[in-house]
């Protein structure tokens, strides 16, 4: 029988989490009840910021764009990452070389990726010059942002699926082949069920990550054209650091934090993830 690890092992992680996650969240929550321009002492205003957020049409529109990016990112990235991950876990000829090329976006910073795509889509000398200016079109800009986010993060989720697919016992596939199961049947009845936990983990990372997407949009479009790509994290940044309304920006930050936590809990509960148990004690 494996002995359960001591709770003392968790103390460094708990201290780190408390200092760099819990404490900032508490401070931001406190600032959400104040008016503060970043200088001097914050002035307590009660629930005024929350009432303003409730009536802020621009914030509502920004939240809608954020949720649209989140849903589209999940719908596009999940099948791409799943299929590519399963393919990359195989033994096809040239797989290693193609996988290395495919994972290149993981080596680039978000700023570099945003600048790269900004140049590629430049209306004067980019790939679509003279034909289309997707970043300058209010109808296309948001979908272009989703395209860039997909290009950036699919390799990461592919890596998750690749590792999980390689952990599937080969005996399952050998037995299925003996029973006459084809490639599609093996994928449907063996691969997918075996990867269900990875699908849930990847989905949580994808959804919460999309909810907090910020730097890519800031560099790529700055929220434009007009307010076509002004998502909620960017609205928070502009309100706080351009408008110097850090109290109200903190209120938006708290809303994002609550949405992210609620989304994670909903996904975990809806998928039964909480009922899963490790096969090894303490692992």
């Amino acid at each position: 029988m494996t002995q359960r690890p001591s709770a003392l092992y968790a103390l460094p992680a708990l201290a780190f989490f408390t200092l760099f996650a819990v404490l900032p969240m508490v401070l931001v929550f406190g600032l959400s009840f104040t008016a503060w321009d970043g200088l001097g002492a914050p002035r307590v205003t009660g629930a005024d910021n929350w009432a303003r957020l409730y009536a802020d049409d621009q914030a509502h529109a920004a939240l809608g764009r954020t949720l649209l990016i989140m849903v589209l990112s999940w719908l596009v990235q999940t099948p791409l990452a799943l299929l590519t991950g399963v393919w990359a876990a195989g033994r096809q000829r040239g797989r290693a070389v193609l996988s290395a090329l495919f994972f290149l976006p993981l080596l680039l910073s978000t700023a570099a990726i945003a600048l790269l795509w900004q140049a590629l889509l430049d209306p004067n000398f980019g790939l679509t010059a003279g034909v289309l200016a997707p970043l300058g079109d209010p109808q296309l800009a948001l979908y272009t942002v989703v395209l860039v986010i997909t290009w950036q993060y699919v390799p990461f989720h592919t890596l998750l699926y690749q590792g999980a697919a390689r952990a599937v016992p080969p005996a399952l596939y050998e037995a299925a082949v003996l029973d006459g199961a084809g490639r599609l049947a093996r994928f449907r009845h063996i691969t997918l069920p075996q990867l269900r936990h990875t699908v849930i983990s990847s989905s949580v990372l994808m959804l919460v990550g999309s909810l907090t997407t910020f730097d890519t949009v800031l560099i790529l479009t700055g929220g434009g054209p007009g307010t076509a790509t002004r998502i909620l994290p960017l609205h928070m940044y502009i309100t706080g650091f351009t408008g110097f309304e850090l109290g109200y920006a903190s209120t938006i930050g708290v809303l994002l934090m609550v949405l992210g936590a609620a989304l994670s809990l909903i996904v975990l509960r809806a998928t039964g993830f909480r009922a899963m148990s490790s096969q090894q004690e303490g692992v």
Side-chain angles (χ1 to χ4, degrees):
M1 180 177 176
T2 306
Q3 188 177 4
R4 183 186 290 273
S6 169
L8 292 175
Y9 286 104
L11 281 181
L14 285 175
F16 189 86
F17 182 74
T18 302
L19 183 61
F20 293 103
V22 176
L23 184 59
M25 284 191 287
V26 171
L27 292 175
V28 168
F29 184 73
L31 283 175
S32 70
F33 295 96
T34 67
W36 188 40
D37 61 2
L39 299 174
R43 179 171 54 85
V44 177
T45 57
D48 287 358
N49 287 331
W50 291 95
R52 177 182 169 185
L53 181 61
Y54 180 76
D56 188 350
D57 292 337
Q58 199 168 29
H60 297 168
L63 176 60
R65 295 184 200 101
T66 304
L67 295 178
L68 181 60
I69 285 181
M70 184 182 68
V71 173
L72 289 177
S73 295
W74 186 82
L75 289 176
V76 175
Q77 290 184 44
T78 296
L80 280 176
L82 174 61
L83 294 175
T84 312
V86 171
W87 172 81
R91 299 178 181 277
Q92 299 87 346
R93 190 174 183 180
R95 174 190 55 80
V97 175
L98 291 175
S99 295
L101 293 174
F102 179 74
F103 291 132
L104 275 179
L106 286 176
L107 305 176
L108 302 176
S109 68
T110 299
I113 288 174
L115 292 172
L116 171 68
W117 278 94
Q118 198 176 47
L120 288 174
L121 299 176
D122 189 278
N124 298 311
F125 55 82
L127 295 176
T128 58
V131 180
L132 197 63
L135 292 179
D137 188 335
Q139 304 297 324
L140 297 177
L142 197 66
Y143 300 104
T144 307
V145 168
V146 173
L147 171 70
V148 175
I149 292 173
T150 299
W151 186 83
Q152 180 179 3
Y153 288 109
V154 159
F156 169 74
H157 294 282
T158 295
L159 207 56
L160 297 181
Y161 286 116
Q162 182 189 28
R166 284 182 174 173
V168 178
L172 295 178
Y173 293 110
E174 294 167 2
V177 170
L178 291 177
D179 289 339
R183 188 183 295 272
L184 186 60
R186 295 198 298 272
F187 177 77
R188 180 181 174 187
H189 297 291
I190 297 176
T191 305
L192 274 183
Q194 291 289 320
L195 298 185
R196 64 187 185 281
H197 297 159
T198 307
V199 172
I200 296 169
S201 301
S202 171
S203 296
V204 171
L205 290 172
M206 212 176 283
L207 293 172
V208 176
S210 300
L211 191 65
T212 57
T213 295
F214 165 70
D215 39 5
T216 303
V217 183
L218 174 67
I219 298 172
L220 197 61
T221 67
T227 58
T229 58
R230 186 161 172 166
I231 55 177
L232 198 56
L234 187 59
H235 183 59
M236 176 187 68
Y237 171 80
I238 292 173
T239 302
F241 294 98
T242 304
F244 299 103
E245 296 181 282
L246 293 172
Y248 183 55
S250 298
T251 309
I252 300 174
V254 173
L255 174 65
L256 280 169
M257 183 175 63
V258 171
L259 286 176
L263 190 63
S264 300
L265 290 175
I266 290 171
V267 172
L268 295 180
R269 183 172 288 276
T271 54
F273 196 75
R274 292 183 60 191
M276 292 192 318
S277 58
S278 173
Q279 295 178 350
Q280 284 186 285
E281 192 72 37
V283 178

